Amino acid sequence: MSSRKYFLLDEVVIHNDASSAWVIVHETVIDVTPLFQATSKKQPLKKSLQWLLALAGSDLSAHFHVDLTPIERCEERVPVFLPGMERNPATGLRWCRDPSLVVGRITFRPCPVKIIN
């Protein structure tokens, strides 16, 4: 991410379909759209990608540790949130740890704008 961009939650919520899908993980806004665009139009999405698409536009922080590793079930090595294991086809990295998918950060302070007519 070359320039620091900040988004309000309201701006992330509208990115909730396969043509533009963003999620929030620990105040980082991640664009997961490439995961859906890599799948051919003729093939249906895998279950884990369908689940991720259903949660697009929302905060998924509860499913990840602060270091962006998926939270696993106790005594098992199976993540609670299986879509967290999906990889970006372009880089081969898990989407949650891929810096090329980071769009910006979330902010809770709107910036007032003065419009002069």
Side-chain angles (χ1 to χ4, degrees):
M1 182 174 65
S2 59
S3 64
R4 280 256 197 227
K5 291 197 175 196
Y6 292 91
F7 300 94
L8 291 169
L9 184 60
D10 295 344
E11 294 174 290
V12 176
V13 168
I14 62 172
H15 296 275
N16 60 4
D17 59 27
S19 64
S20 178
W22 291 5
V23 295
I24 303 165
V25 179
H26 294 292
E27 298 184 7
T28 301
V29 180
I30 302 172
D31 182 2
V32 293
T33 310
L35 279 71
F36 309 117
Q37 293 176 342
T39 306
S40 115
K41 301 285 183 195
K42 297 176 185 174
Q43 295 178 341
L45 289 173
K46 295 187 323 187
K47 283 284 189 193
S48 59
L49 287 178
Q50 289 175 7
W51 191 8
L52 184 60
L53 183 57
L55 295 171
S58 61
D59 190 344
L60 303 179
S61 300
H63 301 289
F64 294 90
H65 294 288
V66 178
D67 67 352
L68 300 180
T69 56
I71 295 175
E72 297 175 341
R73 294 184 183 121
C74 297
E75 303 294 326
E76 299 175 29
R77 302 296 294 168
V78 178
V80 174
F81 184 65
L82 288 176
M85 302 303 288
E86 291 293 330
R87 295 181 181 274
N88 179 358
T91 62
L93 298 172
R94 288 189 185 147
W95 64 265
C96 54
R97 301 187 93 175
D98 189 348
S100 70
L101 298 179
V102 173
V103 178
R105 307 255 320 149
I106 198 78
T107 184
F108 298 101
R109 292 183 176 181
C111 185
V113 176
K114 183 177 183 181
I115 299 174
I116 299 173
N117 191 358

